[in-house]
PDB file of all heavy atoms in Angstrom:
ATOM      1  N   ILE A   1     162.926 135.175 115.853  1.00 97.00           N
ATOM      2  CA  ILE A   1     163.692 135.023 117.086  1.00 97.00           C
ATOM      3  C   ILE A   1     164.372 133.661 117.096  1.00 97.00           C
ATOM      4  O   ILE A   1     163.741 132.634 116.879  1.00 97.00           O
ATOM      5  CB  ILE A   1     162.794 135.170 118.333  1.00 97.00           C
ATOM      6  CG1 ILE A   1     162.184 136.567 118.375  1.00 97.00           C
ATOM      7  CG2 ILE A   1     163.610 134.903 119.607  1.00 97.00           C
ATOM      8  CD1 ILE A   1     161.162 136.756 119.490  1.00 97.00           C
ATOM      9  N   GLU A   2     165.683 133.671 117.341  1.00 96.00           N
ATOM     10  CA  GLU A   2     166.438 132.416 117.389  1.00 96.00           C
ATOM     11  C   GLU A   2     166.764 131.994 118.812  1.00 96.00           C
ATOM     12  O   GLU A   2     166.627 130.834 119.171  1.00 96.00           O
ATOM     13  CB  GLU A   2     167.736 132.533 116.587  1.00 96.00           C
ATOM     14  CG  GLU A   2     168.479 131.226 116.537  1.00 96.00           C
ATOM     15  CD  GLU A   2     169.531 131.206 115.461  1.00 96.00           C
ATOM     16  OE1 GLU A   2     169.492 132.063 114.558  1.00 96.00           O
ATOM     17  OE2 GLU A   2     170.377 130.321 115.506  1.00 96.00           O
ATOM     18  N   ILE A   3     167.213 132.950 119.641  1.00 94.00           N
ATOM     19  CA  ILE A   3     167.684 132.618 120.985  1.00 94.00           C
ATOM     20  C   ILE A   3     167.218 133.699 121.962  1.00 94.00           C
ATOM     21  O   ILE A   3     167.196 134.883 121.635  1.00 94.00           O
ATOM     22  CB  ILE A   3     169.228 132.554 121.042  1.00 94.00           C
ATOM     23  CG1 ILE A   3     169.768 131.503 120.079  1.00 94.00           C
ATOM     24  CG2 ILE A   3     169.726 132.267 122.459  1.00 94.00           C
ATOM     25  CD1 ILE A   3     171.271 131.571 119.892  1.00 94.00           C
ATOM     26  N   ILE A   4     166.914 133.253 123.185  1.00 95.00           N
ATOM     27  CA  ILE A   4     166.642 134.177 124.290  1.00 95.00           C
ATOM     28  C   ILE A   4     167.754 133.940 125.312  1.00 95.00           C
ATOM     29  O   ILE A   4     167.960 132.819 125.773  1.00 95.00           O
ATOM     30  CB  ILE A   4     165.280 133.892 124.956  1.00 95.00           C
ATOM     31  CG1 ILE A   4     164.154 133.841 123.941  1.00 95.00           C
ATOM     32  CG2 ILE A   4     165.013 134.924 126.053  1.00 95.00           C
ATOM     33  CD1 ILE A   4     163.871 135.124 123.236  1.00 95.00           C
ATOM     34  N   ASN A   5     168.488 134.998 125.661  1.00 91.00           N
ATOM     35  CA  ASN A   5     169.587 134.903 126.633  1.00 91.00           C
ATOM     36  C   ASN A   5     169.268 135.730 127.872  1.00 91.00           C
ATOM     37  O   ASN A   5     168.462 136.655 127.825  1.00 91.00           O
ATOM     38  CB  ASN A   5     170.891 135.429 126.027  1.00 91.00           C
ATOM     39  CG  ASN A   5     171.452 134.500 124.981  1.00 91.00           C
ATOM     40  OD1 ASN A   5     171.374 133.292 125.100  1.00 91.00           O
ATOM     41  ND2 ASN A   5     172.015 135.083 123.934  1.00 91.00           N
ATOM     42  N   ILE A   6     169.979 135.409 128.946  1.00 88.00           N
ATOM     43  CA  ILE A   6     169.851 136.155 130.201  1.00 88.00           C
ATOM     44  C   ILE A   6     171.244 136.566 130.649  1.00 88.00           C
ATOM     45  O   ILE A   6     171.803 136.025 131.604  1.00 88.00           O
ATOM     46  CB  ILE A   6     169.181 135.300 131.286  1.00 88.00           C
ATOM     47  CG1 ILE A   6     167.966 134.584 130.723  1.00 88.00           C
ATOM     48  CG2 ILE A   6     168.772 136.165 132.482  1.00 88.00           C
ATOM     49  CD1 ILE A   6     167.543 133.401 131.523  1.00 88.00           C
ATOM     50  N   PRO A   7     171.858 137.532 129.961  1.00 77.00           N
ATOM     51  CA  PRO A   7     173.250 137.886 130.292  1.00 77.00           C
ATOM     52  C   PRO A   7     173.415 138.476 131.683  1.00 77.00           C
ATOM     53  O   PRO A   7     174.473 138.308 132.286  1.00 77.00           O
ATOM     54  CB  PRO A   7     173.628 138.893 129.205  1.00 77.00           C
ATOM     55  CG  PRO A   7     172.343 139.409 128.673  1.00 77.00           C
ATOM     56  CD  PRO A   7     171.337 138.316 128.852  1.00 77.00           C
ATOM     57  N   GLU A   8     172.398 139.140 132.212  1.00 66.00           N
ATOM     58  CA  GLU A   8     172.531 139.736 133.547  1.00 66.00           C
ATOM     59  C   GLU A   8     172.811 138.670 134.599  1.00 66.00           C
ATOM     60  O   GLU A   8     173.568 138.892 135.532  1.00 66.00           O
ATOM     61  CB  GLU A   8     171.265 140.506 133.928  1.00 66.00           C
ATOM     62  CG  GLU A   8     171.084 141.782 133.159  1.00 66.00           C
ATOM     63  CD  GLU A   8     169.854 142.553 133.608  1.00 66.00           C
ATOM     64  OE1 GLU A   8     169.088 142.058 134.448  1.00 66.00           O
ATOM     65  OE2 GLU A   8     169.668 143.672 133.109  1.00 66.00           O
ATOM     66  N   VAL A   9     172.175 137.518 134.456  1.00 62.00           N
ATOM     67  CA  VAL A   9     172.349 136.452 135.440  1.00 62.00           C
ATOM     68  C   VAL A   9     173.578 135.603 135.108  1.00 62.00           C
ATOM     69  O   VAL A   9     174.439 135.380 135.949  1.00 62.00           O
ATOM     70  CB  VAL A   9     171.084 135.562 135.508  1.00 62.00           C
ATOM     71  CG1 VAL A   9     171.308 134.358 136.414  1.00 62.00           C
ATOM     72  CG2 VAL A   9     169.891 136.377 136.000  1.00 62.00           C
ATOM     73  N   PHE A  10     173.669 135.141 133.861  1.00 62.00           N
ATOM     74  CA  PHE A  10     174.710 134.178 133.518  1.00 62.00           C
ATOM     75  C   PHE A  10     176.061 134.810 133.188  1.00 62.00           C
ATOM     76  O   PHE A  10     177.098 134.234 133.495  1.00 62.00           O
ATOM     77  CB  PHE A  10     174.250 133.286 132.369  1.00 62.00           C
ATOM     78  CG  PHE A  10     173.060 132.445 132.748  1.00 62.00           C
ATOM     79  CD1 PHE A  10     171.855 132.603 132.100  1.00 62.00           C
ATOM     80  CD2 PHE A  10     173.142 131.520 133.764  1.00 62.00           C
ATOM     81  CE1 PHE A  10     170.752 131.834 132.457  1.00 62.00           C
ATOM     82  CE2 PHE A  10     172.054 130.745 134.133  1.00 62.00           C
ATOM     83  CZ  PHE A  10     170.860 130.905 133.475  1.00 62.00           C
ATOM     84  N   ASP A  11     176.074 135.976 132.569  1.00 60.00           N
ATOM     85  CA  ASP A  11     177.347 136.607 132.205  1.00 60.00           C
ATOM     86  C   ASP A  11     177.818 137.627 133.237  1.00 60.00           C
ATOM     87  O   ASP A  11     179.004 137.734 133.518  1.00 60.00           O
ATOM     88  CB  ASP A  11     177.236 137.296 130.842  1.00 60.00           C
ATOM     89  CG  ASP A  11     176.952 136.311 129.717  1.00 60.00           C
ATOM     90  OD1 ASP A  11     177.223 135.104 129.903  1.00 60.00           O
ATOM     91  OD2 ASP A  11     176.456 136.741 128.666  1.00 60.00           O
ATOM     92  N   GLU A  12     176.891 138.379 133.782  1.00 61.00           N
ATOM     93  CA  GLU A  12     177.257 139.454 134.709  1.00 61.00           C
ATOM     94  C   GLU A  12     177.205 139.021 136.162  1.00 61.00           C
ATOM     95  O   GLU A  12     177.639 139.755 137.041  1.00 61.00           O
ATOM     96  CB  GLU A  12     176.331 140.653 134.487  1.00 61.00           C
ATOM     97  CG  GLU A  12     176.424 141.233 133.089  1.00 61.00           C
ATOM     98  CD  GLU A  12     175.355 142.275 132.809  1.00 61.00           C
ATOM     99  OE1 GLU A  12     174.795 142.847 133.768  1.00 61.00           O
ATOM    100  OE2 GLU A  12     175.066 142.519 131.618  1.00 61.00           O
ATOM    101  N   GLY A  13     176.632 137.847 136.428  1.00 64.00           N
ATOM    102  CA  GLY A  13     176.593 137.336 137.796  1.00 64.00           C
ATOM    103  C   GLY A  13     175.611 138.022 138.718  1.00 64.00           C
ATOM    104  O   GLY A  13     175.726 137.912 139.933  1.00 64.00           O
ATOM    105  N   ARG A  14     174.639 138.709 138.163  1.00 65.00           N
ATOM    106  CA  ARG A  14     173.638 139.345 139.026  1.00 65.00           C
ATOM    107  C   ARG A  14     172.728 138.285 139.642  1.00 65.00           C
ATOM    108  O   ARG A  14     172.540 137.213 139.084  1.00 65.00           O
ATOM    109  CB  ARG A  14     172.777 140.324 138.231  1.00 65.00           C
ATOM    110  CG  ARG A  14     173.520 141.534 137.770  1.00 65.00           C
ATOM    111  CD  ARG A  14     172.565 142.528 137.183  1.00 65.00           C
ATOM    112  NE  ARG A  14     173.257 143.630 136.557  1.00 65.00           N
ATOM    113  CZ  ARG A  14     172.637 144.629 135.981  1.00 65.00           C
ATOM    114  NH1 ARG A  14     171.327 144.675 135.922  1.00 65.00           N
ATOM    115  NH2 ARG A  14     173.326 145.598 135.440  1.00 65.00           N
ATOM    116  N   ARG A  15     172.151 138.635 140.765  1.00 67.00           N
ATOM    117  CA  ARG A  15     171.185 137.737 141.398  1.00 67.00           C
ATOM    118  C   ARG A  15     169.880 137.784 140.613  1.00 67.00           C
ATOM    119  O   ARG A  15     169.591 138.742 139.898  1.00 67.00           O
ATOM    120  CB  ARG A  15     170.929 138.165 142.833  1.00 67.00           C
ATOM    121  CG  ARG A  15     172.150 138.028 143.726  1.00 67.00           C
ATOM    122  CD  ARG A  15     171.813 138.427 145.111  1.00 67.00           C
ATOM    123  NE  ARG A  15     171.157 139.748 145.055  1.00 67.00           N
ATOM    124  CZ  ARG A  15     171.178 140.646 145.998  1.00 67.00           C
ATOM    125  NH1 ARG A  15     171.793 140.402 147.109  1.00 67.00           N
ATOM    126  NH2 ARG A  15     170.573 141.805 145.863  1.00 67.00           N
ATOM    127  N   ASN A  16     169.082 136.748 140.769  1.00 64.00           N
ATOM    128  CA  ASN A  16     167.806 136.673 140.074  1.00 64.00           C
ATOM    129  C   ASN A  16     166.942 137.906 140.319  1.00 64.00           C
ATOM    130  O   ASN A  16     166.275 138.397 139.425  1.00 64.00           O
ATOM    131  CB  ASN A  16     167.031 135.425 140.497  1.00 64.00           C
ATOM    132  CG  ASN A  16     167.662 134.167 139.960  1.00 64.00           C
ATOM    133  OD1 ASN A  16     168.462 134.205 139.035  1.00 64.00           O
ATOM    134  ND2 ASN A  16     167.311 133.043 140.542  1.00 64.00           N
ATOM    135  N   SER A  17     166.963 138.404 141.540  1.00 67.00           N
ATOM    136  CA  SER A  17     166.115 139.552 141.889  1.00 67.00           C
ATOM    137  C   SER A  17     166.591 140.854 141.239  1.00 67.00           C
ATOM    138  O   SER A  17     165.850 141.828 141.200  1.00 67.00           O
ATOM    139  CB  SER A  17     166.059 139.735 143.405  1.00 67.00           C
ATOM    140  OG  SER A  17     167.347 140.004 143.915  1.00 67.00           O
ATOM    141  N   GLU A  18     167.814 140.876 140.727  1.00 75.00           N
ATOM    142  CA  GLU A  18     168.350 142.080 140.094  1.00 75.00           C
ATOM    143  C   GLU A  18     168.132 142.109 138.582  1.00 75.00           C
ATOM    144  O   GLU A  18     168.330 143.137 137.948  1.00 75.00           O
ATOM    145  CB  GLU A  18     169.851 142.192 140.359  1.00 75.00           C
ATOM    146  CG  GLU A  18     170.190 142.332 141.821  1.00 75.00           C
ATOM    147  CD  GLU A  18     171.691 142.280 142.061  1.00 75.00           C
ATOM    148  OE1 GLU A  18     172.392 141.488 141.413  1.00 75.00           O
ATOM    149  OE2 GLU A  18     172.140 143.050 142.930  1.00 75.00           O
ATOM    150  N   CYS A  19     167.739 140.996 138.016  1.00 81.00           N
ATOM    151  CA  CYS A  19     167.602 140.891 136.560  1.00 81.00           C
ATOM    152  C   CYS A  19     166.329 141.593 136.098  1.00 81.00           C
ATOM    153  O   CYS A  19     165.240 141.333 136.596  1.00 81.00           O
ATOM    154  CB  CYS A  19     167.563 139.424 136.160  1.00 81.00           C
ATOM    155  SG  CYS A  19     167.447 139.167 134.387  1.00 81.00           S
ATOM    156  N   ASP A  20     166.484 142.496 135.133  1.00 88.00           N
ATOM    157  CA  ASP A  20     165.307 143.186 134.607  1.00 88.00           C
ATOM    158  C   ASP A  20     165.345 143.316 133.083  1.00 88.00           C
ATOM    159  O   ASP A  20     164.780 144.248 132.517  1.00 88.00           O
ATOM    160  CB  ASP A  20     165.118 144.547 135.269  1.00 88.00           C
ATOM    161  CG  ASP A  20     166.253 145.513 134.993  1.00 88.00           C
ATOM    162  OD1 ASP A  20     167.229 145.125 134.335  1.00 88.00           O
ATOM    163  OD2 ASP A  20     166.148 146.674 135.431  1.00 88.00           O
ATOM    164  N   SER A  21     166.001 142.352 132.429  1.00 91.00           N
ATOM    165  CA  SER A  21     165.996 142.356 130.968  1.00 91.00           C
ATOM    166  C   SER A  21     166.370 140.978 130.425  1.00 91.00           C
ATOM    167  O   SER A  21     166.966 140.160 131.123  1.00 91.00           O
ATOM    168  CB  SER A  21     166.951 143.409 130.413  1.00 91.00           C
ATOM    169  OG  SER A  21     168.285 143.069 130.685  1.00 91.00           O
ATOM    170  N   LEU A  22     165.985 140.757 129.191  1.00 94.00           N
ATOM    171  CA  LEU A  22     166.372 139.567 128.439  1.00 94.00           C
ATOM    172  C   LEU A  22     167.011 140.031 127.146  1.00 94.00           C
ATOM    173  O   LEU A  22     166.685 141.096 126.628  1.00 94.00           O
ATOM    174  CB  LEU A  22     165.161 138.698 128.095  1.00 94.00           C
ATOM    175  CG  LEU A  22     164.383 138.067 129.236  1.00 94.00           C
ATOM    176  CD1 LEU A  22     163.167 137.334 128.692  1.00 94.00           C
ATOM    177  CD2 LEU A  22     165.261 137.130 130.031  1.00 94.00           C
ATOM    178  N   GLU A  23     167.897 139.214 126.618  1.00 94.00           N
ATOM    179  CA  GLU A  23     168.532 139.494 125.342  1.00 94.00           C
ATOM    180  C   GLU A  23     167.870 138.608 124.283  1.00 94.00           C
ATOM    181  O   GLU A  23     167.804 137.397 124.443  1.00 94.00           O
ATOM    182  CB  GLU A  23     170.016 139.183 125.441  1.00 94.00           C
ATOM    183  CG  GLU A  23     170.800 139.457 124.197  1.00 94.00           C
ATOM    184  CD  GLU A  23     172.256 139.098 124.382  1.00 94.00           C
ATOM    185  OE1 GLU A  23     172.582 137.899 124.265  1.00 94.00           O
ATOM    186  OE2 GLU A  23     173.055 140.006 124.670  1.00 94.00           O
ATOM    187  N   ILE A  24     167.394 139.241 123.232  1.00 96.00           N
ATOM    188  CA  ILE A  24     166.747 138.518 122.143  1.00 96.00           C
ATOM    189  C   ILE A  24     167.670 138.549 120.942  1.00 96.00           C
ATOM    190  O   ILE A  24     168.078 139.618 120.492  1.00 96.00           O
ATOM    191  CB  ILE A  24     165.392 139.152 121.802  1.00 96.00           C
ATOM    192  CG1 ILE A  24     164.490 139.055 123.024  1.00 96.00           C
ATOM    193  CG2 ILE A  24     164.770 138.482 120.585  1.00 96.00           C
ATOM    194  CD1 ILE A  24     163.198 139.788 122.900  1.00 96.00           C
ATOM    195  N   VAL A  25     168.012 137.367 120.443  1.00 96.00           N
ATOM    196  CA  VAL A  25     168.879 137.262 119.285  1.00 96.00           C
ATOM    197  C   VAL A  25     168.035 136.788 118.109  1.00 96.00           C
ATOM    198  O   VAL A  25     167.404 135.727 118.173  1.00 96.00           O
ATOM    199  CB  VAL A  25     170.042 136.271 119.529  1.00 96.00           C
ATOM    200  CG1 VAL A  25     170.951 136.201 118.310  1.00 96.00           C
ATOM    201  CG2 VAL A  25     170.821 136.662 120.779  1.00 96.00           C
TER     202      VAL A  25
END
């Protein structure tokens, strides 16, 4: 694993309470 991203929050603009996944690179 190199990077853990949170595209739902940072790229898609969802609120914290809507986030239900992480992106693993």
Side-chain angles (χ1 to χ4, degrees):
I1 298 174
E2 184 164 344
I3 300 169
I4 308 295
N5 288 323
I6 315 160
E8 289 183 355
V9 174
F10 296 117
D11 297 339
E12 299 171 21
R14 291 188 188 180
R15 295 182 309 208
N16 289 343
S17 62
E18 298 173 321
C19 182
D20 64 357
S21 68
L22 296 176
E23 181 181 81
I24 298 172
V25 181

